[in-house]
Amino acid sequence: MPDTLGFDTLLADDGLFARLLGTTRTGRHRRPLHGPDLPVVILVGGPGMGKGRLLRCIREEFGPYVPTAQIDCGSSVHRARAAQNPATRTEATEALRELALQLHAWQGPGGAVATPRLYAGLVAVASGGEPGGAESLAEVQRHEGLLPPGSFWRGVLKKAVKGYLSALGGLVAGQATVPFTTAVLDELFARVSPEGNTALEECYGAYPGAGGQPKLGLHTLAGDFRQDGATREQAEGFLFRALRHDVEAAYGGAHGWLLRTGRPALLLDRADCALGRHLLKPVLEDREAGRHDRTLVVATARREDGGRFLHGPGRSGLAADGAQPWNPGEGGLPRWSRPPGGVPGLAPLARGTLLVRMPVLTPEQQRDETARTRNPGQRPDNSGPMRIDAGVHRLSAGRPSVVVQLARATGALRSPRSHWELLDAPIRPPHETHGDGRSDRPVADVLLDELIDDHLPEELPPEYRGVWLDVLSHLSVAHGTECAQLLMDERKAAEHRDEHLSAYQIAELLADSGWPGCPRHFIGDLGLRHLLLRRLYRLERGGGAWRRDHELLWRHYRAIPGDAPDDLFGSAVAHGLHHRLAAGDERAADAVVDHLDRTVATRDTAQWAAELLGVAEAPFLAEDRDDRRATALGRITPPGDVRRRRIARVLHAVRLCEDRMHTADPEVAGALRRHLHHLGDESSHGTEVLVRLAGDWEARAAAGQPLKPCVCTQHLR
């Protein structure tokens, strides 16, 4: 996959990031956007949208010209390093240290970015162990890599360490000594130049309680770091401010003004996890309070609103919180400005954010990527029962990583009958080095690994981490949360557990993972739902698990008396028939026709048609016994009188038109129109509605549009 796939407008010379960074990918100057009050830019989009890939592109394309550093806040590496010495390290300090090391190694215009302020803070924290402790000494020496060779700061600390070791060597057993922190800071401030003292004063003199005295500020910071909770968080947040002070200083003076260009960038991937939230909060608070800097902070988050932590308690919506979304597909550039009236410390963090929605691939880009991955000169075979381009589009909704994997899978296809065959096509998993084909897997399984297993919700209980994919597979047959809760109750009873995740909790976890919601489907993404449906059907031979889940829901809704109303299907009986039809009961289609035949003349025609659409949307996987098309086209004669036969043909035509795993069939669409016209000839009841629906449904079906649109099919065009 080309690294820049789908990002051309964002990375262009006059695109968003050239204007935010003040330079193009070739180092030419561009007038910077949004200054001096910079927003934190958050790239928002669910799994497979390419957020991390875009950060890599920014670093690789613009990094040669502006200082750039990148970390993955969701990686376990920072947590593992912090665990080696929890008294003087946390995930936040390890992440800041990694950013500083990358800036120290940067070799673009103006050279490496020194980080003496962060260094001083980390040394104060690292030297806060017990007097004479070897760990404290080792921790201090560990940070020497943050300073360039021959720097003033390195000499000061070396002398401080040497003096402290001499003092320790002359101690009498049992005699106390000053803490290592005191010795180091005393030496530092005894030798620091007036310029260096000013730098520390501007930074650590502003630490809460320091009263403008940098030495006291560093002492207090080190003491706060040894506390728990908010006190430690305050110290960590201030260390991030110190790093930004260092970056700002690198642009000051004659050297920085003459040699450096644009704005520096800190890139935080998966910033909606705990570490990322921990780093973003002090930046947003500082800028809300008017402490501005020129560092562009670009983060990623899965939720469309950037994450719940950005919004005040009880708030909902983006505009009310001050968050300003921007969609690259709308063209132009975002006109961000901080909303007026915020109170520092009380205003929602979202006020300081620009939420950039990750772009989906256009149908043309999807076709080009599909063609690129096939053999040279070989175009997708769109002459068979299934148009390959249409299958990639329907299943991916333009998600770049899904498009890429499905495009790879098309190389194994010639004339597939349905999109299910596309999901079965084998591909080599990403990063797999074997070329003998033994490690090839169905593209559907590879996608589930990428989209679900590699992106487990942060708040998912440990006992669910190994079965999360199983849980979602079962819930793929559910519609509203009521359906989903019935399935979860069945799981709870089968496992004999007192506690279990509710469907409402799972819906929140899915939203936190960046998956869209749909009022008509519990799994609100069409492609993901079909990946899970396929997996559920194959969990047991013959679709046993699939059938049991649908039969459970059928029994529940069948037990509801009369024609009780149902928000999604019109009536509980229609809801139950949907699941019976999906379960594959041999008599299911006849039962649906019987219900529709009984109600066509007595029920409001628009309501009757809505129930028909709800029932007929039932997914169909048993393609080895698919007689829907033959029935719809009149090649098989259903039992019963004329009206019942017409209703049966309408039902099967609608089933095919609503089957998202098959390409539009104009012949079936035309047959649907004829059958509805004939049904309207039976009596005057609802004739006008049926004639109108006949024309509308035929047009939609012929164009591959759903007869009853919903959120998860809105990408179909």
Side-chain angles (χ1 to χ4, degrees):
M1 170 174 58
D3 286 342
T4 59
L5 178 64
F7 301 151
D8 291 343
T9 58
L10 288 171
L11 302 175
D13 285 355
D14 289 309
L16 176 65
F17 287 103
R19 293 295 305 278
L20 285 172
L21 292 166
T23 184
T24 69
R25 291 179 287 178
T26 57
R28 292 160 53 198
H29 173 74
R30 281 292 180 269
R31 183 182 176 184
L33 284 175
H34 315 311
D37 185 8
L38 272 178
V40 168
V41 178
I42 303 182
L43 310 176
V44 295
M49 291 301 297
K51 302 179 295 297
R53 180 166 58 89
L54 179 54
L55 290 188
R56 291 194 300 274
C57 287
I58 294 170
R59 188 178 183 191
E60 292 170 1
E61 300 286 340
F62 298 95
Y65 306 102
V66 293
T68 309
Q70 178 179 352
I71 59 169
D72 180 359
C73 298
S75 171
S76 61
V77 64
H78 304 113
R79 182 167 56 252
R81 290 172 180 168
Q84 294 172 9
N85 195 335
T88 58
R89 304 182 197 176
T90 63
E91 282 191 79
T93 62
E94 292 306 297
L96 294 174
R97 182 175 182 272
E98 174 61 28
L99 290 170
L101 287 171
Q102 291 183 29
L103 292 172
H104 174 249
W106 189 75
Q107 293 300 316
V113 175
T115 57
R117 295 161 184 81
L118 175 65
Y119 179 57
L122 290 178
V123 164
V125 167
S127 61
E130 292 298 321
E135 282 190 1
S136 296
L137 177 58
E139 285 293 290
V140 169
Q141 293 174 325
R142 175 174 175 261
H143 294 307
E144 288 186 2
L146 296 179
L147 297 174
S151 71
F152 158 79
W153 298 93
R154 182 184 293 273
V156 168
L157 269 296
K158 279 189 174 181
K159 290 184 175 69
V161 171
K162 182 178 179 181
Y164 189 67
L165 288 176
S166 298
L168 289 178
L171 287 178
V172 178
Q175 182 178 346
T177 185
V178 294
F180 194 14
T181 305
T182 301
V184 170
L185 295 182
D186 283 349
E187 182 68 25
L188 172 64
F189 284 95
R191 296 178 178 276
V192 71
S193 67
E195 181 182 0
N197 188 75
T198 300
L200 291 176
E201 184 176 335
E202 290 175 351
C203 181
Y204 290 102
Y207 192 81
Q213 301 178 48
K215 184 176 178 181
L216 177 58
L218 283 164
H219 268 294
T220 306
L221 181 145
D224 288 349
F225 188 87
R226 291 192 289 272
Q227 308 301 314
D228 291 326
T231 305
R232 173 175 277 191
E233 288 180 8
Q234 175 179 269
E236 292 171 327
F238 202 91
L239 289 172
F240 197 4
R241 186 194 299 181
L243 175 61
R244 300 196 312 279
H245 268 284
D246 283 328
V247 177
E248 191 73 15
Y251 275 75
H255 178 83
W257 185 80
L258 288 172
L259 297 179
R260 298 193 190 277
T261 185
R263 287 178 175 141
L266 299 178
L267 313 176
L268 311 180
D269 198 8
R270 293 199 281 180
D272 51 350
C273 70
L275 173 59
R277 299 193 301 267
H278 199 38
L279 293 174
L280 289 181
K281 184 173 182 287
V283 180
L284 291 164
E285 289 175 338
D286 279 350
R287 293 181 179 179
E288 184 69 44
R291 289 185 285 268
H292 302 147
D293 58 80
R294 78 183 72 203
T295 300
L296 177 66
V297 178
V298 185
T300 71
R302 292 168 293 182
R303 285 178 63 110
E304 188 176 285
D305 61 5
R308 285 176 288 171
F309 78 102
L310 294 174
H311 308 273
R315 295 176 182 265
S316 61
L318 302 178
D321 296 327
Q324 298 180 34
W326 178 70
N327 188 341
E330 297 173 355
L333 292 169
R335 298 182 177 180
W336 184 89
S337 62
R338 189 178 299 277
V343 179
L346 298 177
L349 300 176
R351 286 167 44 88
T353 61
L354 171 66
L355 305 180
V356 177
R357 291 174 178 166
M358 291 297 296
V360 298
L361 298 182
T362 65
E364 182 180 6
Q365 288 173 319
Q366 295 172 45
R367 288 192 295 271
D368 289 345
E369 179 62 18
T370 302
R372 187 189 70 82
T373 59
R374 296 172 72 86
N375 295 330
Q378 182 184 5
R379 300 291 298 180
D381 183 354
N382 290 316
S383 61
M386 185 204 89
R387 292 185 65 249
I388 289 177
D389 286 343
V392 172
H393 176 64
R394 288 187 176 194
L395 292 167
S396 70
R399 290 179 184 268
S401 72
V402 181
V403 170
V404 168
Q405 302 302 356
L406 290 176
R408 291 176 59 207
T410 63
L413 299 176
R414 291 298 174 264
S415 297
R417 293 175 300 167
S418 74
H419 302 337
W420 294 115
E421 290 189 26
L422 173 56
L423 293 181
D424 286 336
I427 64 170
R428 189 179 309 160
H431 315 302
E432 179 62 66
T433 58
H434 302 299
D436 54 12
R438 289 180 295 179
S439 60
D440 288 0
R441 299 172 59 204
V443 64
D445 295 344
V446 173
L447 284 171
L448 284 174
D449 284 348
E450 287 192 7
L451 301 175
I452 299 297
D453 280 345
D454 293 346
H455 295 276
L456 295 178
E458 183 182 16
E459 297 180 4
L460 186 66
E463 60 270 24
Y464 280 90
R465 292 190 169 268
V467 296
W468 184 235
L469 193 51
D470 288 340
V471 171
L472 295 184
S473 297
H474 286 285
L475 295 182
S476 63
V477 305
H479 295 90
T481 47
E482 179 186 17
C483 260
Q485 189 58 47
L486 289 168
L487 293 167
M488 291 305 295
D489 288 342
E490 178 72 7
R491 185 181 182 94
K492 177 180 177 180
E495 295 177 357
H496 306 289
R497 296 176 58 178
D498 295 331
E499 296 184 3
H500 218 277
L501 277 177
S502 71
Y504 304 93
Q505 292 172 294
I506 293 173
E508 191 65 44
L509 291 172
L510 287 170
D512 286 344
S513 298
W515 291 109
C518 175
R520 290 180 58 201
H521 301 94
F522 188 78
I523 303 295
D525 181 89
L526 178 67
L528 175 63
R529 185 165 68 251
H530 280 99
L531 292 174
L532 294 168
L533 287 172
R534 172 191 173 278
R535 185 177 184 276
L536 175 64
Y537 191 80
R538 299 186 180 192
L539 275 180
E540 296 180 15
R541 189 170 183 175
W546 162 280
R547 188 167 51 255
R548 283 196 302 275
D549 284 343
H550 280 294
E551 288 175 348
L552 168 71
L553 297 173
W554 168 40
R555 289 194 300 270
H556 170 79
Y557 289 103
R558 183 182 60 179
I560 298 177
D563 286 345
D566 184 280
D567 291 340
L568 298 177
F569 288 82
S571 68
V573 63
H575 197 158
L577 286 171
H578 167 97
H579 289 291
R580 183 179 180 184
L581 195 59
D585 183 332
E586 291 183 0
R587 284 277 304 153
D590 290 339
V592 173
V593 173
D594 289 342
H595 169 73
L596 294 172
D597 188 35
R598 285 195 306 270
T599 56
V600 66
T602 59
R603 186 161 295 176
D604 174 81
T605 304
Q607 181 184 359
W608 180 87
E611 286 194 5
L612 164 64
L613 289 180
V615 173
E617 191 199 19
F620 186 90
L621 278 77
E623 294 192 328
D624 57 331
R625 45 189 174 86
D626 187 1
D627 60 0
R628 294 175 299 172
R629 192 171 191 275
T631 304
L633 297 180
R635 297 168 186 169
I636 294 178
T637 302
D641 58 21
V642 172
R643 188 177 74 179
R644 191 183 187 284
R645 290 197 297 269
R646 287 173 176 170
I647 290 175
R649 292 188 175 111
V650 167
L651 170 66
H652 290 296
V654 172
R655 291 181 73 186
L656 284 170
C657 294
E658 288 294 84
D659 190 340
R660 301 275 71 82
M661 298 304 286
H662 286 77
T663 302
D665 187 334
E667 190 175 0
V668 171
L672 175 59
R673 179 185 181 122
R674 292 194 304 274
H675 298 326
L676 286 171
H677 280 163
H678 292 155
L679 192 59
D681 294 340
E682 291 289 324
S683 69
S684 60
H685 177 78
T687 299
E688 179 184 357
V689 175
L690 290 174
V691 170
R692 175 171 50 80
L693 287 177
D696 180 49
W697 285 4
E698 180 192 32
R700 287 181 171 276
Q705 296 285 307
L707 305 186
K708 186 174 183 179
C710 63
V711 172
C712 58
T713 57
Q714 62 186 354
H715 67 284
L716 302 180
R717 293 180 175 85

